[in-house]
Amino acid sequence: MDQTSLPTPSEATIAVPGAILAACLGRPALARGVVVFAHGSGSSRFSPRNRGVARRLEAAGFATVLADLLTPEEERADRVTGHLRFDIGFLAARLAAITGWTAEEPGLGDLPCGCFGASTGAGAALVAAAERPERIRAVVSRGGRPDLAGAALPRVVAPTLLIVGGRDVEVLALNRAAQGRMTCPTQLSIVPGATHLFEEPGALDEVARLACDWFARFLPAGRHGDRASP
């Protein structure tokens, strides 16, 4: 599908325990799955990189949910204290609640659900996947910190794709170590010449292509209770 023919994403609010979170929803016609984004520290639903990937996913037939994991008040406090950006348990609980919201939302509830995590958001996505295996059926990490999922790594059953830039040397080493602790189907895809933010020409396009292929493979059409074989 041509991205120019896609519906314009809509703004929404999502009620989670203790907070109301702002979100941006992309709903292509006849969606075959829904992908919830987990942003890294200092980012938001307005991240141009994540929004670019989201539009590619929508063109491939996936609904997308880009939600802020923090309220505006929490964001302001975190800029001063930094106490929430690495609180992976807290962020994962928020993300799990958002995926729970998609299970109840008309038009999304019957769709298989995956998570796309960037930077620290990847750690939160993997913890949430370990806690909600019945809902989160596939995970993609972009320049992520899966190591921050810690003890949850061996409990993840959702097939997981780790995308890292070839020049992002430190994060690449962390991803390899995290992959070694995982027991679910995993794949490490290295984008040659790319740095942490995938700002190089064509790098983010490759991220989007890999993500679309992964979700197309592991989020088959059908109710969210059905699980594909890896």
Side-chain angles (χ1 to χ4, degrees):
M1 181 186 297
D2 186 346
Q3 291 187 44
T4 60
S5 65
L6 290 170
T8 302
S10 61
E11 293 293 317
T13 55
I14 300 176
V16 301
I20 302 293
L21 303 177
C24 184
L25 308 183
R27 299 196 190 209
L30 303 176
R32 55 177 171 165
V34 56
V35 178
V36 178
F37 281 68
H39 310 292
S41 59
S43 189
S44 73
R45 69 189 188 279
F46 298 117
S47 162
R49 286 176 290 277
N50 282 345
R51 296 200 92 157
V53 173
R55 293 302 271 178
R56 283 283 295 274
L57 285 168
E58 290 158 26
F62 296 100
T64 61
V65 180
L66 289 85
D68 292 341
L69 297 183
L70 302 178
T71 65
E73 294 77 13
E74 290 167 342
E75 282 279 4
R76 286 192 289 271
D78 188 64
R79 288 192 203 105
V80 177
T81 66
H83 68 297
L84 292 175
R85 65 188 63 187
F86 288 106
D87 190 339
I88 301 301
F90 174 83
L91 299 175
R94 287 276 172 91
L95 184 61
I98 293 168
T99 64
W101 173 84
T102 67
E104 303 298 328
E105 178 70 5
L108 299 181
D110 283 342
L111 299 178
C113 179
C115 283
F116 182 100
S119 191
T120 54
L126 288 168
V127 173
E131 297 297 326
R132 294 292 304 272
E134 79 290 348
R135 182 58 179 154
I136 302 173
R137 299 175 53 191
V139 176
V140 172
S141 163
R142 170 183 66 81
R145 291 289 308 276
D147 55 297
L148 295 177
L153 285 173
R155 297 191 288 111
V156 177
V157 297
T160 298
L161 173 64
L162 307 172
I163 307 173
V164 186
R167 293 167 58 195
D168 195 5
V169 178
E170 183 178 351
V171 170
L172 180 55
L174 292 170
N175 273 255
R176 283 183 169 138
Q179 184 184 28
R181 299 182 59 196
M182 300 179 74
T183 58
C184 63
T186 62
Q187 178 177 313
L188 176 61
S189 292
I190 300 171
V191 180
T195 51
H196 185 61
L197 296 180
F198 296 89
E199 295 175 305
E200 295 72 21
L204 198 61
D205 286 338
E206 179 63 5
V207 170
R209 184 190 70 79
L210 290 166
C212 287
D213 288 350
W214 194 259
F215 288 126
R217 180 181 178 188
F218 291 108
L219 296 185
R223 293 184 62 85
H224 62 77
D226 304 323
R227 179 173 289 278
S229 299

mmCIF file of all heavy atoms in Angstrom, residues 166-183:
data_model
loop_
_atom_site.group_PDB
_atom_site.id
_atom_site.type_symbol
_atom_site.label_atom_id
_atom_site.label_comp_id
_atom_site.label_asym_id
_atom_site.label_seq_id
_atom_site.Cartn_x
_atom_site.Cartn_y
_atom_site.Cartn_z
ATOM 1 N N GLY A 166 25.833 -1.481 12.545
ATOM 2 C CA GLY A 166 27.152 -2.095 12.523
ATOM 3 C C GLY A 166 28.224 -1.264 13.201
ATOM 4 O O GLY A 166 29.230 -1.808 13.667
ATOM 5 N N ARG A 167 28.019 0.056 13.281
ATOM 6 C CA ARG A 167 28.998 0.928 13.926
ATOM 7 C C ARG A 167 28.622 1.250 15.379
ATOM 8 O O ARG A 167 29.330 2.006 16.051
ATOM 9 C CB ARG A 167 29.143 2.216 13.122
ATOM 10 C CG ARG A 167 29.774 1.991 11.741
ATOM 11 C CD ARG A 167 29.620 3.199 10.848
ATOM 12 N NE ARG A 167 30.217 4.401 11.441
ATOM 13 C CZ ARG A 167 29.986 5.643 11.015
ATOM 14 N NH1 ARG A 167 29.145 5.826 9.990
ATOM 15 N NH2 ARG A 167 30.556 6.675 11.583
ATOM 16 N N ASP A 168 27.517 0.669 15.850
ATOM 17 C CA ASP A 168 27.078 0.871 17.234
ATOM 18 C C ASP A 168 27.702 -0.234 18.090
ATOM 19 O O ASP A 168 27.030 -1.134 18.594
ATOM 20 C CB ASP A 168 25.552 0.822 17.292
ATOM 21 C CG ASP A 168 24.986 1.381 18.590
ATOM 22 O OD1 ASP A 168 25.762 1.892 19.414
ATOM 23 O OD2 ASP A 168 23.755 1.300 18.762
ATOM 24 N N VAL A 169 29.020 -0.142 18.263
ATOM 25 C CA VAL A 169 29.816 -1.268 18.754
ATOM 26 C C VAL A 169 29.407 -1.714 20.156
ATOM 27 O O VAL A 169 29.210 -2.910 20.410
ATOM 28 C CB VAL A 169 31.317 -0.899 18.726
ATOM 29 C CG1 VAL A 169 32.156 -2.045 19.276
ATOM 30 C CG2 VAL A 169 31.745 -0.570 17.303
ATOM 31 N N GLU A 170 29.244 -0.782 21.071
ATOM 32 C CA GLU A 170 28.913 -1.147 22.446
ATOM 33 C C GLU A 170 27.541 -1.802 22.531
ATOM 34 O O GLU A 170 27.363 -2.835 23.200
ATOM 35 C CB GLU A 170 28.964 0.084 23.348
ATOM 36 C CG GLU A 170 28.690 -0.228 24.811
ATOM 37 C CD GLU A 170 28.798 0.988 25.692
ATOM 38 O OE1 GLU A 170 29.246 2.053 25.217
ATOM 39 O OE2 GLU A 170 28.421 0.892 26.884
ATOM 40 N N VAL A 171 26.555 -1.208 21.860
ATOM 41 C CA VAL A 171 25.203 -1.764 21.895
ATOM 42 C C VAL A 171 25.156 -3.119 21.185
ATOM 43 O O VAL A 171 24.438 -4.034 21.613
ATOM 44 C CB VAL A 171 24.199 -0.779 21.279
ATOM 45 C CG1 VAL A 171 22.832 -1.415 21.083
ATOM 46 C CG2 VAL A 171 24.074 0.458 22.178
ATOM 47 N N LEU A 172 25.949 -3.285 20.149
ATOM 48 C CA LEU A 172 26.017 -4.569 19.465
ATOM 49 C C LEU A 172 26.507 -5.663 20.412
ATOM 50 O O LEU A 172 25.942 -6.769 20.451
ATOM 51 C CB LEU A 172 26.928 -4.466 18.240
ATOM 52 C CG LEU A 172 27.109 -5.732 17.410
ATOM 53 C CD1 LEU A 172 25.776 -6.297 16.948
ATOM 54 C CD2 LEU A 172 28.015 -5.441 16.204
ATOM 55 N N ALA A 173 27.525 -5.355 21.205
ATOM 56 C CA ALA A 173 28.036 -6.333 22.167
ATOM 57 C C ALA A 173 26.974 -6.666 23.215
ATOM 58 O O ALA A 173 26.808 -7.838 23.594
ATOM 59 C CB ALA A 173 29.297 -5.787 22.840
ATOM 60 N N LEU A 174 26.224 -5.664 23.677
ATOM 61 C CA LEU A 174 25.165 -5.906 24.661
ATOM 62 C C LEU A 174 24.051 -6.773 24.071
ATOM 63 O O LEU A 174 23.486 -7.631 24.760
ATOM 64 C CB LEU A 174 24.596 -4.576 25.144
ATOM 65 C CG LEU A 174 25.537 -3.709 25.996
ATOM 66 C CD1 LEU A 174 24.943 -2.316 26.201
ATOM 67 C CD2 LEU A 174 25.821 -4.368 27.335
ATOM 68 N N ASN A 175 23.739 -6.563 22.785
ATOM 69 C CA ASN A 175 22.701 -7.358 22.139
ATOM 70 C C ASN A 175 23.145 -8.808 21.977
ATOM 71 O O ASN A 175 22.349 -9.733 22.178
ATOM 72 C CB ASN A 175 22.331 -6.758 20.785
ATOM 73 C CG ASN A 175 21.268 -5.690 20.866
ATOM 74 O OD1 ASN A 175 20.119 -5.905 20.511
ATOM 75 N ND2 ASN A 175 21.649 -4.513 21.358
ATOM 76 N N ARG A 176 24.388 -9.009 21.618
ATOM 77 C CA ARG A 176 24.879 -10.382 21.471
ATOM 78 C C ARG A 176 24.833 -11.117 22.804
ATOM 79 O O ARG A 176 24.448 -12.291 22.873
ATOM 80 C CB ARG A 176 26.297 -10.360 20.914
ATOM 81 C CG ARG A 176 26.355 -10.070 19.412
ATOM 82 C CD ARG A 176 27.757 -10.114 18.879
ATOM 83 N NE ARG A 176 27.778 -10.103 17.420
ATOM 84 C CZ ARG A 176 28.617 -9.402 16.682
ATOM 85 N NH1 ARG A 176 29.525 -8.615 17.266
ATOM 86 N NH2 ARG A 176 28.576 -9.467 15.349
ATOM 87 N N ALA A 177 25.214 -10.419 23.871
ATOM 88 C CA ALA A 177 25.184 -11.048 25.193
ATOM 89 C C ALA A 177 23.757 -11.367 25.612
ATOM 90 O O ALA A 177 23.471 -12.442 26.149
ATOM 91 C CB ALA A 177 25.858 -10.136 26.220
ATOM 92 N N ALA A 178 22.829 -10.436 25.353
ATOM 93 C CA ALA A 178 21.426 -10.668 25.711
ATOM 94 C C ALA A 178 20.846 -11.821 24.903
ATOM 95 O O ALA A 178 20.110 -12.665 25.435
ATOM 96 C CB ALA A 178 20.614 -9.396 25.486
ATOM 97 N N GLN A 179 21.171 -11.879 23.615
ATOM 98 C CA GLN A 179 20.665 -12.960 22.773
ATOM 99 C C GLN A 179 21.101 -14.321 23.308
ATOM 100 O O GLN A 179 20.346 -15.290 23.263
ATOM 101 C CB GLN A 179 21.152 -12.783 21.336
ATOM 102 C CG GLN A 179 20.575 -13.820 20.369
ATOM 103 C CD GLN A 179 21.138 -13.678 18.968
ATOM 104 O OE1 GLN A 179 22.252 -13.217 18.777
ATOM 105 N NE2 GLN A 179 20.358 -14.072 17.975
ATOM 106 N N GLY A 180 22.297 -14.372 23.849
ATOM 107 C CA GLY A 180 22.799 -15.618 24.407
ATOM 108 C C GLY A 180 22.029 -16.101 25.623
ATOM 109 O O GLY A 180 22.106 -17.287 25.974
ATOM 110 N N ARG A 181 21.279 -15.217 26.262
ATOM 111 C CA ARG A 181 20.490 -15.580 27.438
ATOM 112 C C ARG A 181 19.045 -15.914 27.097
ATOM 113 O O ARG A 181 18.302 -16.355 27.968
ATOM 114 C CB ARG A 181 20.511 -14.432 28.457
ATOM 115 C CG ARG A 181 21.893 -14.073 28.979
ATOM 116 C CD ARG A 181 21.806 -12.963 30.001
ATOM 117 N NE ARG A 181 20.965 -13.343 31.127
ATOM 118 C CZ ARG A 181 20.465 -12.480 32.025
ATOM 119 N NH1 ARG A 181 20.717 -11.190 31.884
ATOM 120 N NH2 ARG A 181 19.720 -12.909 33.012
ATOM 121 N N MET A 182 18.666 -15.707 25.859
ATOM 122 C CA MET A 182 17.275 -15.905 25.468
ATOM 123 C C MET A 182 17.064 -17.322 24.944
ATOM 124 O O MET A 182 17.950 -17.902 24.305
ATOM 125 C CB MET A 182 16.868 -14.865 24.423
ATOM 126 C CG MET A 182 17.003 -13.434 24.924
ATOM 127 S SD MET A 182 16.567 -12.168 23.709
ATOM 128 C CE MET A 182 14.785 -12.303 23.704
ATOM 129 N N THR A 183 15.883 -17.851 25.206
ATOM 130 C CA THR A 183 15.555 -19.211 24.774
ATOM 131 C C THR A 183 14.505 -19.229 23.667
ATOM 132 O O THR A 183 14.275 -20.275 23.067
ATOM 133 C CB THR A 183 15.041 -20.040 25.964
ATOM 134 O OG1 THR A 183 13.888 -19.390 26.531
ATOM 135 C CG2 THR A 183 16.115 -20.161 27.038
#
